[in-house]
Amino acid sequence: MPPDPDVTSALQALSGGNRAALDELLPVIYDQLRAQAQRALQRERPDHTLSPTALVHEAYLKLVRLERVEWRDRAHFFGACANEMRRILVSYARTRKAGKRGAGADHVSLENAAVAAHSRPAELLALDEALVRLAEMDPRQVRIVECRFFAGMSVEETAEALGISPATVKRDWTTARA
């Protein structure tokens, strides 16, 4: 993501308690958030009840209500949005699985998760469980998976969002997929 001083200053004003910064922020970032949500939903089943617009609104409302977040910049905000979108989709998958009273989740690799998530929420839940276990060992690798897999960020965008080098992103991405 190219640096955007208007977005960064609006996010910093929001962190400082200026709620009027929301009015300035949303029109500038809305299209990019919607594209991020569209990418996340492309890996879901075709009859998903959430639209990209609804996913953006749910994630955005949760994030802007947070009182104690120090938004560093645009990349930090979009990384947090990717994480929140993941949580929302996992919550919807859990609800769907509970409604169907399905059996235990199958093992699913990260490479197969995008295909599996189209039709079976159980695989999305298995991926989430794997990420929870990975977070116990290496939280940074989980953030990289969220940025790369759920938000569709490039290696460079992920590096910027997490404040690490692109080489570290590549190395941790390879390890996380393994």
Side-chain angles (χ1 to χ4, degrees):
M1 283 173 235
D4 190 334
D6 293 335
V7 171
T8 300
S9 62
L11 286 167
Q12 290 171 345
L14 182 62
S15 294
N18 180 357
R19 300 312 251 174
L22 287 175
D23 295 335
E24 177 185 331
L25 182 63
L26 186 58
V28 176
I29 64 171
Y30 186 79
D31 287 339
Q32 190 166 355
L33 281 175
R34 195 164 186 300
Q36 188 173 334
Q38 182 67 39
R39 283 190 304 271
L41 285 168
Q42 283 176 344
R43 292 183 286 269
E44 294 294 316
R45 65 186 194 282
D47 63 336
H48 202 286
T49 57
L50 272 179
S51 69
T53 302
L55 183 56
V56 166
H57 291 184
E58 279 195 49
Y60 183 80
L61 287 174
K62 286 183 181 184
L63 289 173
V64 297
R65 288 183 183 152
L66 297 175
E67 296 288 325
R68 299 180 196 160
V69 176
E70 297 280 331
W71 299 114
R72 291 188 308 263
D73 55 21
R74 176 186 191 120
H76 179 224
F77 181 78
F78 280 101
C81 285
N83 185 22
E84 192 57 44
M85 286 181 192
R86 171 185 156 228
R87 288 181 182 164
I88 291 166
L89 290 172
V90 166
S91 174
Y92 269 72
R94 280 192 180 116
T95 302
R96 181 174 166 92
K97 181 181 176 193
K100 290 189 172 200
R101 301 179 205 278
D106 297 328
H107 174 74
V108 62
S109 69
L110 186 57
E111 287 81 16
N112 296 328
V115 173
H118 276 289
S119 59
R120 296 183 305 253
E123 279 76 9
L124 181 60
L125 294 177
L127 174 60
D128 182 62
E129 290 170 15
L131 290 175
V132 168
R133 287 191 309 273
L134 180 61
E136 294 170 1
M137 295 182 293
D138 193 333
R140 184 178 66 201
Q141 287 182 3
V142 174
R143 297 290 299 145
I144 290 170
V145 171
E146 290 170 348
C147 290
R148 301 273 293 136
F149 183 75
F150 289 98
M153 292 181 171
S154 69
V155 169
E156 291 75 19
E157 291 169 336
T158 301
E160 182 183 341
L162 300 179
I164 57 178
S165 73
T168 300
V169 170
K170 289 177 188 176
R171 184 176 52 251
D172 282 358
W173 174 243
T174 300
T175 304
R177 288 187 316 186

